[in-house]
Amino acid sequence: MVPSNLDHTIIDVLRRRATQTPDHVAYRFLDDGTGDRSTSCTYRELWVHVRTASAWLRELGLAGRRVVLAMPPGIDHVATFFGALHAGATVVPAPAPTGRRAAGHLSSIMHDCDAAAVVAKSGHLERFNLLTGDTPRPVRRLSPEWMDAEWADAAELTPAVVTDPAVVQYSSGSTGQPKGVILKHEHLMSNGRVLTAHIGEEPDRVGLTWLPPHHDMGLIGTIVFALHGGWPLVIMAPEHFAQQPYRWLRAIGEHRVTISVTPAFALDLCTRSVTDEELSGLDLSSLRHLFCGSDQLFPHAVTSFTDRFAPYGYREQALIPCYGLAEATLFVSGRVPGSPLVVHDGITSCGVLGAGHELRITDPDTGTPVPDEVVGEIRVHGPNVAEGYLDRPEDTARSFPGDGWLRTGDLGFRHHGELFVTGRLSGMIVVNGRNIQPQDIERTVNAAHDLVRRSVAFGVAVDGAEAVVVVAELRSYDVDVAGVRAQVLAAVAAEHGVRPADVRFVSIGSIPTTTSGKLRRNAAQRHYLTGVTP
């Protein structure tokens, strides 16, 4: 179905699909992470749910206000998200308050965005109240379980008002305090158009996601993109993937999925965790596009995943290494389907720019462009670039300097027109005047011994100078730990000309990460310096 020129917002798209293809399945949620129990809704049914949520929120006076959406994945989450947009509210995605850490994160988001209300499951609200107590100022705490289905008839078929910003998307906080990125309706639509131009359209496209629905890749890159493109999306809860990664791969075959998304770490997790017995039931032959982002994708992870799953229908040409960030709504670059997977100097390319966008690699200090092959700060210009940060004028001036070019804070270089991302500017370790990327140290450590699962590197002050520290997860302690440490030290010294001041081993799962799997180097550094056991 060709998009209409009258579609100015994603709600316009939904209204059109509910009219033109009302009986097509829009979303399907796997209740227990398998195909045994699932809940689905057509575009017609979704439109009713959306109008119900819209009437409910407008009745509560929340049009034009900021509404924090802190619900777990599922049909209710999808309907409430689009319902809030229909009502003219600004949606602020946040994690469901399922535990103390998530509750604390939700509380900080509510305060930072000056929320008028938070919408969550009633049981989660009760837990949130117990964990956080009352907020300094009144914030309505609402549950979609309190809606009256009859309100759908009271809601207009079109939005009462289009309110910008549409979404305040909080960054993952991997490099500092999370900040709310201001996204307009036109940004959501632009991201959908750019992604569609990049991978084309297919009449039989079926999507699958297990990413957290409050994360930009999980919300904008799957839930919004699927509606924009008009294809069904199968949704799993992140915990169902984490408990058994095989469920994601099995669902690809069961639902004949053609497009999915994953952080880079999940490829290695699947390669190592899926058993030979589970392999026998897999069918990955339908998968044509597998977007892989959020962190650096190393060639060995690609090769290992391909070797493990190629006998079961997986094709390496389906992999789309990509680069994006909330400050650019989501998508910046990615491999074009049909083009070769490019590896250069041990790094996997993140492909070429999305349609209508420009890129510069610049000297971080002067802002002047640097030649190809030279590492510098990545700057992006184009229709996906956001407005700035909510109520943070200094941060906005730093990252959105007013010339239309976004300073991403990421480092990379260009090679034959391809973008290679090498790390974060803020994560640089400076030892004796040398700039050392923590990702380079981590790659060496991870390959130094088979028992090292993953590692995180950061700088600390030692006798007035910066030194490298490594924290690594060990698969087993039933080994000569001193010998493993010696191998790690020798490997880092040989490859990088620097000897870590300390190599500390921790158990699997101890290194802090974001919901998308990025290493939280600042948090790991704090744990190390304060002696906190993660």
Side-chain angles (χ1 to χ4, degrees):
M1 183 166 57
V2 178
S4 168
N5 293 329
L6 299 179
D7 291 340
H8 300 297
T9 73
I10 196 66
I11 299 302
D12 293 333
V13 176
L14 172 57
R15 183 184 67 252
R16 176 168 55 84
R17 299 204 185 285
T19 301
Q20 297 180 1
T21 55
D23 297 323
H24 287 198
V25 172
Y27 298 94
R28 185 183 306 277
F29 179 64
L30 307 184
D31 299 351
D32 59 357
T34 74
D36 297 337
R37 292 176 51 229
S38 65
T39 306
S40 64
C41 70
T42 64
Y43 288 116
R44 177 194 287 115
E45 292 166 338
L46 178 61
W47 186 228
V48 172
H49 288 325
V50 166
R51 286 161 47 213
T52 299
S54 175
W56 176 56
L57 294 172
R58 274 187 273 174
E59 178 71 19
L60 294 171
L62 294 173
R65 309 293 298 278
R66 294 174 195 144
V67 176
V68 176
L69 181 61
M71 293 177 60
I75 303 300
D76 283 348
H77 172 275
V78 173
T80 307
F81 171 75
F82 290 122
L85 294 182
H86 185 287
T90 295
V91 184
V92 185
T98 54
R100 186 172 299 277
R101 178 179 169 185
H105 189 43
L106 170 58
S107 181
S108 67
I109 287 177
M110 290 168 58
H111 285 80
D112 189 78
C113 75
D114 191 27
V118 58
V119 181
K121 292 287 189 178
S122 58
H124 289 164
L125 284 175
E126 292 174 5
R127 182 167 178 78
F128 178 67
N129 293 339
L130 289 173
L131 290 172
T132 63
D134 293 331
T135 55
R137 61 171 193 80
V139 177
R140 283 183 174 174
R141 303 186 182 192
L142 309 171
S143 170
E145 298 151 79
W146 306 337
M147 290 187 211
D148 187 338
E150 293 181 0
W151 281 339
D153 296 330
E156 296 89 343
L157 292 179
T158 57
V161 62
V162 175
T163 300
D164 277 321
V167 174
V168 174
Q169 179 69 53
Y170 275 79
S171 60
S172 61
S174 59
T175 59
Q177 184 177 2
K179 298 181 286 287
V181 180
I182 299 172
L183 299 177
K184 292 184 175 181
H185 283 277
E186 65 187 60
H187 293 128
L188 303 182
M189 294 294 286
S190 169
N191 189 77
R193 288 191 295 267
V194 171
L195 276 170
T196 300
H198 208 79
I199 63 173
E201 297 185 76
E202 297 174 328
D204 61 344
R205 181 167 288 161
V206 177
L208 170 62
T209 178
W210 53 265
L211 299 181
H214 65 276
H215 187 264
D216 52 2
M217 198 171 183
L219 176 63
I220 298 170
T222 61
I223 293 173
V224 175
F225 183 39
L227 177 57
H228 185 276
W231 33 272
L233 179 69
V234 180
I235 302 173
M236 291 175 58
E239 57 267 27
H240 289 150
F241 167 81
Q243 292 163 0
Q244 196 174 5
Y246 165 70
R247 289 169 171 162
W248 172 48
L249 302 179
R250 183 174 66 180
I252 290 174
E254 289 182 345
H255 298 277
R256 305 307 296 164
V257 169
T258 67
I259 182 171
S260 192
V261 294
T262 181
F265 81 90
L267 298 184
D268 179 66
L269 181 61
C270 288
T271 300
R272 296 179 181 275
S273 68
V274 175
T275 66
D276 291 342
E277 182 181 359
E278 290 170 334
L279 282 173
S280 64
L282 289 183
D283 179 6
L284 305 179
S285 61
S286 63
L287 190 63
R288 301 177 197 138
H289 301 125
L290 177 57
F291 281 86
C292 185
S294 293
D295 212 348
Q296 269 195 304
L297 177 61
F298 294 113
H300 70 83
V302 175
T303 302
S304 298
F305 187 84
T306 301
D307 290 346
R308 183 69 166 159
F309 299 107
Y312 305 93
Y314 174 74
R315 298 175 296 257
E316 187 176 276
Q317 57 263 41
L319 189 66
I320 302 180
C322 57
Y323 168 66
L325 65 167
E327 288 83 351
T329 308
L330 180 62
F331 185 72
V332 172
S333 73
R335 174 181 158 270
V336 176
S339 66
L341 190 67
V342 179
V343 175
H344 177 67
D345 198 23
I347 300 175
T348 305
S349 166
C350 290
V352 299
L353 283 180
H357 288 75
E358 300 175 77
L359 179 140
R360 291 176 181 169
I361 307 295
T362 65
D363 182 294
D365 296 323
T366 66
T368 57
V370 300
D372 285 1
E373 314 291 338
V374 175
V375 174
E377 184 181 11
I378 300 169
R379 298 195 185 202
V380 178
H381 180 277
N384 283 12
V385 174
E387 292 290 293
Y389 297 114
L390 180 68
D391 297 332
R392 293 181 182 270
E394 293 183 0
D395 290 327
T396 297
R398 185 183 307 110
S399 297
F400 302 84
D403 58 358
W405 286 87
L406 166 67
R407 294 191 60 178
T408 67
D410 290 318
L411 294 171
F413 63 90
R414 275 193 288 202
H415 171 74
H416 293 172
E418 303 260 339
L419 173 64
F420 294 79
V421 180
T422 61
R424 285 288 298 178
L425 182 62
S426 60
M428 190 89 75
I429 305 172
V430 183
V431 180
N432 296 326
R434 289 179 53 213
N435 293 335
I436 299 175
Q437 289 296 332
Q439 290 88 347
D440 293 338
I441 301 290
E442 291 155 5
R443 180 171 50 184
T444 299
V445 173
N446 295 346
H449 197 285
D450 289 343
L451 288 179
V452 175
R453 178 176 180 266
R454 66 179 169 188
S455 61
V456 59
F458 46 83
V460 299
V462 177
D463 296 330
E466 191 164 32
V468 174
V469 165
V470 172
V471 176
E473 293 180 353
L474 276 190
R475 301 181 189 281
S476 171
Y477 282 88
D478 189 22
V479 293
D480 177 13
V481 175
V484 178
R485 180 177 283 106
Q487 283 189 238
V488 168
L489 288 169
V492 174
E495 292 193 34
H496 305 285
V498 61
R499 180 181 174 86
D502 190 12
V503 175
R504 180 169 297 180
F505 294 121
V506 295
S507 59
I508 289 178
S510 296
I511 292 177
T513 62
T514 69
T515 54
S516 63
K518 291 182 182 179
L519 295 172
R520 298 174 60 221
R521 293 188 180 87
N522 288 349
Q525 182 190 52
R526 288 195 301 272
H527 290 164
Y528 177 84
L529 293 174
T530 58
V532 173
T533 301

